[in-house]
Amino acid sequence: NHYVEVYDFNHNAADIRLGLYDENLEFIVGSNGQQNFEAIDLNGYPYGTYYVAIDSSEFNSATGYKLFARGPERTLSDWLEPNDSFASSTILGSDPNYLWDLTLTAGDQDIFAFDLDSYGYADEHLTIFFDHLQADLGLALYDSQGTLLHNSNSTTDFETINFWGLAPGRYYAQVYSWESGLADYSLVYSPIPSLYPDLNEDNNTPATAIILE
């Protein structure tokens, strides 16, 4: 069973409450009983980030407590698998994104796809962060035809490729390891966010100018 529990407090001294929130800090469920513990069942909740809040419904009350959480055992494959080929690649979209808790196993590679609507800028980039002492990871960039364009493989704890000069189109980023065994990493995808027409469009010519009164 998977659950989070607050326990070993004095209910007579403070009415402890336990709340579970999603990654957007939206309330999901709470526990507020009459015993010296509160617990929330985590079974059935999807993979993601959750927050736990502990407070008391009474002012000027104090008590110690203990907190325990038990989640699912970590698997060797990360939550984006299978994404080992161009055909099964993870689509990054057009907005900045941060992906965490990613892994590479022996013989594994992770492929990510993204689209550029215009020529790339130097400030746009894709970067992976990892512990180089754990594994030597590399980052490669391919065009839509599978041609290698860039390869980043240093001795630091990160590898990065910027999008300067890339023509509009689809691209694929490959995360790979020079070594066998489990490797953890996170990925930052940082394109320039898409621009949308403002409320005053269309006002691109003198004939369609907005009249300021």
Side-chain angles (χ1 to χ4, degrees), residues 84-133:
D84 305 328
S85 67
F86 284 14
S88 63
S89 58
T90 298
I91 307 299
L92 294 176
S94 58
D95 295 322
N97 203 350
Y98 170 67
L99 304 177
W100 53 276
D101 199 19
L102 305 178
T103 61
L104 286 180
T105 55
D108 185 24
Q109 63 177 358
D110 289 342
I111 306 295
F112 301 87
F114 62 91
D115 298 304
L116 292 182
D117 297 329
S118 59
Y119 278 88
Y121 294 89
D123 291 338
E124 298 178 295
H125 65 90
L126 191 149
T127 303
I128 58 173
F129 295 92
F130 56 95
D131 183 355
H132 192 84
L133 294 178

Side-chain angles (χ1 to χ4, degrees), residues 3-19 30-41 53-55 63-68:
Y3 62 93
V4 59
E5 178 184 27
V6 58
Y7 65 100
D8 200 14
F9 60 87
N10 186 349
H11 184 81
N12 293 324
D15 185 11
I16 293 293
R17 301 178 298 191
L18 180 64
S31 176
N32 185 22
Q34 303 299 316
Q35 305 297 320
N36 293 328
F37 69 91
E38 303 290 347
I40 294 176
D41 185 3
I54 303 168
D55 69 351
T63 180
Y65 67 86
K66 296 179 181 179
L67 177 67
F68 177 79

Side-chain angles (χ1 to χ4, degrees), residues 19-26 28-29 40 49-53:
L20 182 67
Y21 295 79
D22 66 15
E23 61 181 3
N24 298 314
L25 299 181
E26 296 290 338
I28 300 175
V29 67
I40 294 176
T49 300
Y50 295 88
Y51 297 91
V52 170

Side-chain angles (χ1 to χ4, degrees), residues 178-199:
W178 290 100
E179 304 167 357
S180 61
L182 183 67
D184 304 298
Y185 73 96
S186 60
L187 181 147
V188 172
Y189 172 60
S190 183
I192 294 177
S194 300
L195 298 178
Y196 300 95
D198 61 49
L199 296 177

